[in-house]
Amino acid sequence: MLRRALLALLLLLPCFLAGPAAADDVRGSQQAVLRTLGLAQAWQVTKGRGVLVAVLDSGVDPNHRDLVGSVRIGRDFTEGANPGGTLPVRLHGTYMASLIAGHGHGPGRGDGVIGVAPEARVLSVRVILEDEEPGFRTFNAEARYEGVVAKGIRHAVDSGADVINLSISKDLATEAERAAIRYAISKGVVLVAAAGNDGAGRRTAPYSYPASIPGVISVAAVTSTMTRASFSNRNSSVMLSAPGVDILGAGPDNEYWVGRGTSQATALVSGVAALIKAKYPKMSPALVAQALASSAVAPRGTRYNTGTGFGVVNATRALKMAAVLSRHRVTASGPGVQHPDRPIATAAPGPVVIVNRNQQAITVFAGVGLAGLLGAAGGLMVVVFLVRRARRNAGVVAVRRETYATR
């Protein structure tokens, strides 16, 4: 992971193999992950058609054969950091986009990378540079680039994104980023972010942002055995997890790469969120998060933990849970419910019930009650007086008997 200063952006870089993989080997190597995510059944329901996933990253290669026709290029908020005429590397962003919406190529599209939501579309929003780009230090050093994530989120929302993938992380969040996330959620956009790769050797890793901001789905990485990857951050912001070790994906210029990180896990969860939004486009971000978390597959005998959250995401189970939750509304409805868009002052008042009370009867009953209370108090005083008198008489008799006995 690359570190900037205190508010620096951390690109969750994958660990790449030396050299690209052959296209024909990619699909077969993806099978274990596809099974873990339960995609075979999920694709019978939806493949993500009609959904736009914004990938806020280092840029996406729109000409990769597994993504061609599915990528829309948005704004580049890193503009000016690289020298003029420099072509962006776009490795990390292309990799994430392929895991979300790769559609493969060749006969029946049986070769290359197949993403979780292969019929979804991608909006590429460039908010980071990769370390081999010449403007990397300039981008990390100059204050004018500190607000790029917040600007990227707002741009994605205004461009019609349904899901925003944030395979990026930083040490602290700015108020602008919190405001941008509130804006996105208010527009019904689901945000998914990486929990971070600083977990090795730590019981509790630092919180990463924007993953730790309320409303954002924070994703950890697991191995092929469904256990937390050693590098994956462990903290209470983690909501769920996904495979993040030895994950194959696409790179620029029709290449294929394999890597590990919470970046990859985040992209896979964003793909499942896209499937839910494709089937239930009006479902709120909170209900999408609930569908993902409540349907996650946890190892037998375990409950929520800060390493893997509620468990590993499963597309089939998530869609079934979303079907149940889709019957619920964000706001209450029915007789007697005040509509939230209607000012309370203008609500039609109900009939006013006037109760006539007999003041004379109330006075009589109050008098009777007071008299009874006084009578009870008087009776109590008489009892106390008689008891005290009886005790005095008993004492006199005892003294007389003692005097008589001593004579």
Side-chain angles (χ1 to χ4, degrees):
M1 179 179 288
L2 301 171
R3 291 190 175 275
R4 290 177 60 187
L6 187 61
L7 295 178
L9 188 66
L10 300 181
L11 171 60
L12 303 179
L13 288 173
C15 302
F16 297 119
L17 289 182
D24 292 343
D25 297 334
V26 171
R27 188 65 58 85
S29 299
Q30 284 190 284
Q31 293 308 307
V33 172
L34 300 180
R35 284 194 298 270
T36 298
L37 299 178
L39 287 173
Q41 283 185 276
W43 285 340
Q44 296 177 14
V45 178
T46 177
K47 291 188 176 182
R49 183 178 295 276
V51 170
L52 181 64
V53 181
V55 177
L56 272 61
D57 215 289
S58 62
V60 179
D61 179 5
N63 298 315
H64 192 289
R65 55 191 170 186
D66 294 341
L67 287 166
V68 66
S70 297
V71 179
R72 186 169 122 207
I73 302 300
R75 288 191 58 183
D76 180 359
F77 291 97
T78 70
E79 189 174 1
N82 278 334
T86 303
L87 294 178
V89 176
R90 302 181 301 189
L91 173 54
H92 193 267
T94 303
Y95 191 1
M96 299 305 109
S98 71
L99 297 178
I100 297 169
H103 52 57
H105 68 275
R109 293 189 169 180
D111 293 329
V113 172
I114 186 76
V116 176
E119 294 182 358
R121 300 191 72 246
V122 169
L123 173 68
S124 174
V125 182
R126 190 161 145 91
V127 297
I128 55 175
L129 297 185
E130 301 189 56
D131 59 355
E132 59 263 48
E133 296 189 58
F136 179 74
R137 290 190 177 183
T138 299
F139 175 76
N140 288 329
E142 295 190 4
R144 59 178 169 149
Y145 296 113
E146 288 185 358
V148 295
V149 174
K151 294 176 182 177
I153 291 172
R154 289 184 178 274
H155 172 66
V157 174
D158 294 340
S159 299
D162 302 289
V163 178
I164 297 178
N165 181 81
L166 297 154
S167 290
I168 52 179
S169 177
K170 57 188 293 188
D171 294 330
L172 292 174
T174 66
E175 181 56 37
E177 288 162 359
R178 293 181 183 275
I181 286 169
R182 289 195 299 270
Y183 175 68
I185 293 173
S186 73
K187 298 296 184 179
V189 180
V190 179
L191 299 105
V192 187
N197 296 339
D198 291 325
R202 300 184 181 186
R203 291 185 61 85
T204 300
Y207 287 85
S208 297
Y209 298 90
S212 298
I213 297 177
V216 179
I217 298 171
S218 177
V219 182
V222 295
T223 67
S224 59
T225 59
M226 303 276 278
T227 57
R228 183 185 71 90
S230 61
F231 56 79
S232 185
N233 281 12
R234 185 185 345 215
N235 58 58
S236 59
S237 76
V238 174
M239 180 177 292
L240 70 163
S241 49
V245 177
D246 298 335
I247 307 299
L248 279 158
D253 302 322
N254 290 328
E255 292 184 341
Y256 298 92
W257 300 82
V258 62
R260 59 178 60 196
T262 53
S263 283
Q264 289 86 334
T266 299
L268 296 174
V269 172
S270 291
V272 178
L275 295 179
I276 294 175
K277 290 293 281 186
K279 182 65 177 177
Y280 307 102
K282 294 184 179 180
M283 182 170 283
S284 69
L287 290 182
V288 172
Q290 184 176 345
L292 291 168
S294 59
S295 63
V297 179
R300 183 174 299 177
T302 63
R303 298 181 180 178
Y304 175 86
N305 66 80
T306 56
T308 57
F310 289 100
V312 180
V313 68
N314 182 280
T316 298
R317 290 163 58 99
L319 283 169
K320 289 181 180 178
M321 181 57 67
V324 175
L325 295 175
S326 66
R327 298 195 290 266
H328 298 276
R329 298 185 179 183
V330 177
T331 56
S333 62
V337 174
Q338 169 67 30
H339 194 283
D341 295 333
R342 184 180 181 184
I344 295 178
T346 63
V352 178
V353 179
I354 300 176
V355 179
N356 294 315
R357 303 185 185 278
N358 190 327
Q359 296 297 328
Q360 184 177 2
I362 292 175
T363 302
V364 171
F365 292 146
V368 172
L370 180 61
L373 180 63
L374 292 175
L380 180 62
M381 293 176 64
V382 170
V383 172
V384 172
F385 173 77
L386 293 176
V387 169
R388 288 182 176 178
R389 182 176 179 180
R391 287 178 177 176
R392 284 198 303 269
N393 290 339
V396 170
V397 173
V399 170
R400 287 176 179 175
R401 288 178 178 175
E402 182 178 351
T403 302
Y404 176 80
T406 57
R407 286 180 181 177

mmCIF file of all heavy atoms in Angstrom, residues 348-365:
data_model
loop_
_atom_site.group_PDB
_atom_site.id
_atom_site.type_symbol
_atom_site.label_atom_id
_atom_site.label_comp_id
_atom_site.label_asym_id
_atom_site.label_seq_id
_atom_site.Cartn_x
_atom_site.Cartn_y
_atom_site.Cartn_z
ATOM 1 N N ALA A 348 -54.792 17.909 7.883
ATOM 2 C CA ALA A 348 -56.217 18.061 8.174
ATOM 3 C C ALA A 348 -56.491 17.600 9.595
ATOM 4 O O ALA A 348 -56.222 16.450 9.945
ATOM 5 C CB ALA A 348 -57.038 17.250 7.178
ATOM 6 N N PRO A 349 -57.042 18.496 10.461
ATOM 7 C CA PRO A 349 -57.295 18.098 11.849
ATOM 8 C C PRO A 349 -58.482 17.151 11.943
ATOM 9 O O PRO A 349 -59.437 17.239 11.165
ATOM 10 C CB PRO A 349 -57.582 19.429 12.545
ATOM 11 C CG PRO A 349 -58.128 20.301 11.447
ATOM 12 C CD PRO A 349 -57.406 19.884 10.190
ATOM 13 N N GLY A 350 -58.420 16.259 12.900
ATOM 14 C CA GLY A 350 -59.532 15.358 13.138
ATOM 15 C C GLY A 350 -60.602 16.040 13.985
ATOM 16 O O GLY A 350 -60.421 17.167 14.460
ATOM 17 N N PRO A 351 -61.769 15.415 14.193
ATOM 18 C CA PRO A 351 -62.840 16.014 15.005
ATOM 19 C C PRO A 351 -62.403 16.192 16.453
ATOM 20 O O PRO A 351 -61.717 15.339 17.017
ATOM 21 C CB PRO A 351 -63.986 14.998 14.885
ATOM 22 C CG PRO A 351 -63.305 13.707 14.541
ATOM 23 C CD PRO A 351 -62.128 14.078 13.697
ATOM 24 N N VAL A 352 -62.786 17.328 17.017
ATOM 25 C CA VAL A 352 -62.451 17.619 18.411
ATOM 26 C C VAL A 352 -63.572 17.084 19.294
ATOM 27 O O VAL A 352 -64.747 17.436 19.122
ATOM 28 C CB VAL A 352 -62.273 19.136 18.628
ATOM 29 C CG1 VAL A 352 -61.977 19.428 20.097
ATOM 30 C CG2 VAL A 352 -61.167 19.664 17.732
ATOM 31 N N VAL A 353 -63.222 16.234 20.233
ATOM 32 C CA VAL A 353 -64.206 15.645 21.140
ATOM 33 C C VAL A 353 -64.308 16.502 22.389
ATOM 34 O O VAL A 353 -63.308 16.738 23.073
ATOM 35 C CB VAL A 353 -63.798 14.198 21.504
ATOM 36 C CG1 VAL A 353 -64.826 13.609 22.473
ATOM 37 C CG2 VAL A 353 -63.686 13.352 20.244
ATOM 38 N N ILE A 354 -65.513 17.013 22.681
ATOM 39 C CA ILE A 354 -65.736 17.846 23.858
ATOM 40 C C ILE A 354 -66.400 16.995 24.932
ATOM 41 O O ILE A 354 -67.443 16.376 24.703
ATOM 42 C CB ILE A 354 -66.628 19.049 23.517
ATOM 43 C CG1 ILE A 354 -65.946 19.907 22.436
ATOM 44 C CG2 ILE A 354 -66.925 19.876 24.754
ATOM 45 C CD1 ILE A 354 -66.799 21.064 21.977
ATOM 46 N N VAL A 355 -65.786 16.965 26.103
ATOM 47 C CA VAL A 355 -66.313 16.191 27.221
ATOM 48 C C VAL A 355 -66.914 17.151 28.249
ATOM 49 O O VAL A 355 -66.215 18.034 28.775
ATOM 50 C CB VAL A 355 -65.202 15.339 27.868
ATOM 51 C CG1 VAL A 355 -65.760 14.559 29.049
ATOM 52 C CG2 VAL A 355 -64.587 14.410 26.830
ATOM 53 N N ASN A 356 -68.219 17.017 28.538
ATOM 54 C CA ASN A 356 -68.891 17.834 29.543
ATOM 55 C C ASN A 356 -68.809 17.144 30.902
ATOM 56 O O ASN A 356 -69.208 15.988 31.046
ATOM 57 C CB ASN A 356 -70.361 18.046 29.162
ATOM 58 C CG ASN A 356 -70.508 18.873 27.900
ATOM 59 O OD1 ASN A 356 -69.831 19.895 27.750
ATOM 60 N ND2 ASN A 356 -71.390 18.451 26.995
ATOM 61 N N ARG A 357 -68.315 17.876 31.873
ATOM 62 C CA ARG A 357 -68.155 17.306 33.212
ATOM 63 C C ARG A 357 -69.103 18.020 34.184
ATOM 64 O O ARG A 357 -69.252 19.240 34.147
ATOM 65 C CB ARG A 357 -66.717 17.434 33.688
ATOM 66 C CG ARG A 357 -65.721 16.779 32.749
ATOM 67 C CD ARG A 357 -64.312 16.803 33.308
ATOM 68 N NE ARG A 357 -63.353 16.275 32.360
ATOM 69 C CZ ARG A 357 -63.099 14.991 32.158
ATOM 70 N NH1 ARG A 357 -63.766 14.091 32.877
ATOM 71 N NH2 ARG A 357 -62.208 14.613 31.276
ATOM 72 N N ASN A 358 -69.754 17.239 35.115
ATOM 73 C CA ASN A 358 -70.681 17.767 36.121
ATOM 74 C C ASN A 358 -69.863 18.288 37.292
ATOM 75 O O ASN A 358 -69.384 17.528 38.129
ATOM 76 C CB ASN A 358 -71.643 16.657 36.573
ATOM 77 C CG ASN A 358 -72.770 17.206 37.429
ATOM 78 O OD1 ASN A 358 -72.590 18.169 38.174
ATOM 79 N ND2 ASN A 358 -73.941 16.583 37.312
ATOM 80 N N GLN A 359 -69.691 19.625 37.341
ATOM 81 C CA GLN A 359 -68.861 20.214 38.380
ATOM 82 C C GLN A 359 -69.441 19.989 39.780
ATOM 83 O O GLN A 359 -68.704 19.790 40.753
ATOM 84 C CB GLN A 359 -68.688 21.715 38.114
ATOM 85 C CG GLN A 359 -67.950 22.045 36.834
ATOM 86 C CD GLN A 359 -66.523 21.532 36.867
ATOM 87 O OE1 GLN A 359 -65.895 21.471 37.931
ATOM 88 N NE2 GLN A 359 -66.030 21.133 35.704
ATOM 89 N N GLN A 360 -70.798 19.997 39.902
ATOM 90 C CA GLN A 360 -71.411 19.791 41.216
ATOM 91 C C GLN A 360 -71.114 18.387 41.731
ATOM 92 O O GLN A 360 -70.769 18.197 42.895
ATOM 93 C CB GLN A 360 -72.924 20.022 41.120
ATOM 94 C CG GLN A 360 -73.639 19.931 42.472
ATOM 95 C CD GLN A 360 -75.119 20.239 42.354
ATOM 96 O OE1 GLN A 360 -75.617 20.483 41.266
ATOM 97 N NE2 GLN A 360 -75.828 20.249 43.493
ATOM 98 N N ALA A 361 -71.256 17.423 40.830
ATOM 99 C CA ALA A 361 -70.971 16.051 41.255
ATOM 100 C C ALA A 361 -69.513 15.894 41.650
ATOM 101 O O ALA A 361 -69.178 15.191 42.617
ATOM 102 C CB ALA A 361 -71.324 15.091 40.122
ATOM 103 N N ILE A 362 -68.618 16.559 40.872
ATOM 104 C CA ILE A 362 -67.194 16.473 41.201
ATOM 105 C C ILE A 362 -66.930 17.044 42.584
ATOM 106 O O ILE A 362 -66.171 16.480 43.382
ATOM 107 C CB ILE A 362 -66.360 17.217 40.136
ATOM 108 C CG1 ILE A 362 -66.437 16.475 38.790
ATOM 109 C CG2 ILE A 362 -64.911 17.361 40.575
ATOM 110 C CD1 ILE A 362 -65.761 17.195 37.656
ATOM 111 N N THR A 363 -67.628 18.183 42.918
ATOM 112 C CA THR A 363 -67.438 18.803 44.237
ATOM 113 C C THR A 363 -67.926 17.888 45.357
ATOM 114 O O THR A 363 -67.277 17.718 46.392
ATOM 115 C CB THR A 363 -68.190 20.143 44.298
ATOM 116 O OG1 THR A 363 -67.720 21.007 43.247
ATOM 117 C CG2 THR A 363 -67.989 20.832 45.642
ATOM 118 N N VAL A 364 -69.095 17.261 45.132
ATOM 119 C CA VAL A 364 -69.647 16.357 46.144
ATOM 120 C C VAL A 364 -68.719 15.164 46.375
ATOM 121 O O VAL A 364 -68.402 14.810 47.514
ATOM 122 C CB VAL A 364 -71.058 15.884 45.732
ATOM 123 C CG1 VAL A 364 -71.556 14.774 46.668
ATOM 124 C CG2 VAL A 364 -72.031 17.051 45.733
ATOM 125 N N PHE A 365 -68.276 14.566 45.260
ATOM 126 C CA PHE A 365 -67.411 13.389 45.395
ATOM 127 C C PHE A 365 -66.075 13.755 46.051
ATOM 128 O O PHE A 365 -65.525 12.997 46.851
ATOM 129 C CB PHE A 365 -67.155 12.770 44.028
ATOM 130 C CG PHE A 365 -68.380 12.138 43.420
ATOM 131 C CD1 PHE A 365 -68.590 12.154 42.046
ATOM 132 C CD2 PHE A 365 -69.334 11.535 44.233
ATOM 133 C CE1 PHE A 365 -69.708 11.580 41.490
ATOM 134 C CE2 PHE A 365 -70.462 10.945 43.673
ATOM 135 C CZ PHE A 365 -70.660 10.983 42.302
#
